[in-house]
Amino acid sequence: MPPNAKDLLARHSLDIMDAIPEGVFVTNLEGITLYVNRMYEQLTGLSRDQVLGRQVRTLVEEGVFDVALNPEVVRKAKSVTHTQRLRNGKMLVLTGTPVFDESGALRLVITFARDITRITQLNEQVSEQKQLIEQTNEQMAYMAREQSLTTVPVFASKVMHETLGFLQTMAKTDATLLILGETGVGKDVFARYVHGQSQRCDKVMMKVDCGSISESLIESEMFGYMPGAFTGASSKGKPGYFELAKGSTIFLDEIGEMPLAMQTRLLRVLQDGEIMRIGGNKPVKIDARIIAATNRDLVSSIEEGKFRQDLFYRLNVATVKIPPLRERMADISPLAETFLRQYSARYHKHIAFMDITLEALTHYHWPGNVRELENLVHSLVITHQGPLIAPADLPPSIHGKKTETAEDYKEFLQGERSLKEIMAEIESDFLNRAIRHHGSVQQVARIFKINRSTIFRKINKK
């Protein structure tokens, strides 16, 4: 070291500290503040007079900042890094370093401070944007699913013809509609049908499954919340389903499962036509047509104290009950063939039901209703090999013992016709079905690799 360098450095040590572009905070082993440089004052907004001679633990207790490194550095005798939040909201990253004398004894703790407030804000903004993107993606996925679903119920029965007539009349109004029916009858299909026939059909119907949203979340999901309304809430707030359904329809599925506290809030929405976000103090007017559905007996639920009577009266402006599938057997075949076309197209298969198979389906009682029928057809399309679905391909619970006794083939087994004639009839039946399914003889010829002339010959030969 050059002569007098040590004295020169000692005389200008404080000037050197002030020239450091990071905050410097020096304490002794007891945590008493001995020195802060000019950059520390600029970073924190704290003057030297406010901290010099003060114990760091006292500064933490007073809320000047939330973390002090001195005790941990003294205890560990090595460098420690933490983040620190100041009273004014600024965020610093601190690195506390022990200072030893010539004998190796710990004498001081020097802490360097860097401002990371902007970085923290950017991280929070990125997190919020990510949350908004996820919410938007969820809403877009829902909208895509809704638009891909059919809005025209499939039926052939008289009772469903009458039901659709009533729903067409209701669709022209904004009256609240209550749809009743067993699980699996397709209440959501009829809700979409009413929305699709209404003047609000250009907007996407919002569906709320009242039975699947947890009780702690259902209020914020339905009515939204203001910025910072609760721990974990977005700093930008969030609109609820009723606001998102502005100018459209909100479908409250399984409303019989809604908690009583939420029933009270929903009643106020129906009465006043406005909602209040969580944490808000200003009501928001809504413009949404309400369709509700349930598989519960709401009158019994009222008697059991599980459903509000006044809410039931508000919902019961117009009520329709969708009969179970076992009470409209004429709908089974058209529904089964519709599902078969949909899933065959999805999996690029060419399959048809034999008439005798459709007959077997119509004799089953379908406890799971339309949903059970759809799931069965879906499974058959995935697992079945070959162009025709026979009764034996159905689950035993559906075809029962009929195919085991060959009762359905009694006409064939009597021997009144030759095997050649029987097979010709089966071929003709299959080709006619294939033409109806694919729309043209040319398509059937291409798919099944058969000449058009052969098709004409076989369908006309009986």
Side-chain angles (χ1 to χ4, degrees), residues 230-263:
F230 50 84
T231 302
S234 168
S235 62
K236 297 186 182 300
K238 178 186 174 184
Y241 286 118
F242 276 97
E243 287 183 77
L244 293 172
K246 182 179 180 180
S248 184
T249 302
I250 184 165
F251 176 41
L252 303 177
D253 197 15
E254 300 305 341
I255 196 170
E257 310 294 330
M258 181 178 284
L260 281 169
M262 280 303 300
Q263 292 180 29

Side-chain angles (χ1 to χ4, degrees), residues 388-407:
L388 289 174
I389 299 176
D393 298 317
L394 302 176
S397 59
I398 297 180
H399 69 65
K401 297 181 180 180
K402 292 180 69 177
T403 55
E404 293 178 8
T405 59
E407 186 66 24

Side-chain angles (χ1 to χ4, degrees), residues 2-48:
N4 303 324
K6 197 169 186 177
D7 292 338
L8 182 64
L9 290 172
R11 286 199 306 271
H12 294 283
S13 60
L14 296 184
D15 296 325
I16 293 170
M17 297 279 257
D18 278 339
I20 295 174
E22 294 182 355
V24 177
F25 188 98
V26 183
T27 55
N28 64 15
L29 302 187
E30 288 74 38
I32 302 298
T33 309
L34 303 179
Y35 174 80
V36 295
N37 71 347
R38 186 178 297 116
M39 181 56 70
Y40 184 84
E41 290 182 297
Q42 293 175 6
L43 286 177
T44 64
L46 298 169
S47 68
R48 290 173 180 172

